[in-house]
Amino acid sequence: MTTPSALERPTGVSLGLRLAARLMLLPAVVLALLPPRRIRAVLGVLRHGATPATTVQAQAARDAMCAVSLRCTGPKGCLPRSLGAALLCRLRGTWPTWCAGVRVVPPFTAHAWIETEGRPVGEGVPDGYFARLLAVEPTHR
């Protein structure tokens, strides 16, 4: 038996940000198909020249990705959502810390997310809930 549920999509995302998020959706989905070392290499190149993103900027990018894509909003959309949010931040001249890892409490599952100031953005979990296995941090000037 299935339980009906509704995915909450953010509201109040500006049209310009929605268009930019739609533009970043395809590269994020394609990037999500690559092996982890290639994802890290591509993101490592893209982050150069960007300033560290603030929590507000990263949250806006994450919300925009969820607003334009049901795939990103769903429970298995963490990888394209986090990649799209990172790419959207980069399009705007900033870079959050992109992370991939696992939950530290059972059930142990893989997850991808973005962070600013050492905290997950928009995940609704306490600090230390995820253990990083890969991270692409902003370059410091």
Side-chain angles (χ1 to χ4, degrees):
M1 182 173 181
T2 61
T3 305
S5 65
L7 299 174
E8 291 184 30
R9 295 175 82 177
T11 58
V13 179
S14 70
L15 180 62
L17 194 53
R18 280 179 184 263
L19 291 174
R22 282 231 186 253
L23 202 82
M24 293 296 108
L25 186 58
L26 182 61
V29 170
V30 170
L31 199 55
L33 298 174
L34 298 176
R37 64 185 166 85
R38 297 256 190 235
I39 293 172
R40 184 172 50 186
V42 170
L43 295 181
V45 170
L46 293 175
R47 71 181 173 171
H48 289 291
T51 60
T54 65
T55 302
V56 172
Q57 292 168 328
Q59 183 67 52
R62 186 182 188 281
D63 287 348
M65 293 308 297
C66 291
V68 300
S69 170
L70 280 175
R71 172 182 284 189
C72 291
T73 306
K76 295 184 179 183
C78 64
L79 186 56
R81 175 178 58 236
S82 64
L83 290 168
L87 294 174
L88 189 54
C89 282
R90 182 60 188 107
L91 188 66
R92 302 174 86 200
T94 62
W95 187 261
T97 300
W98 177 83
C99 304
V102 294
R103 287 196 312 205
V104 296
V105 294
F108 299 103
T109 58
H111 190 61
W113 66 97
I114 58 173
E115 290 183 356
T116 58
E117 301 163 5
R119 297 188 150 177
V121 174
E123 297 294 332
V125 297
D127 293 345
Y129 190 78
F130 299 117
R132 285 186 192 180
L133 298 177
L134 291 174
V136 181
E137 298 179 342
T139 55
H140 299 288
R141 295 179 185 192

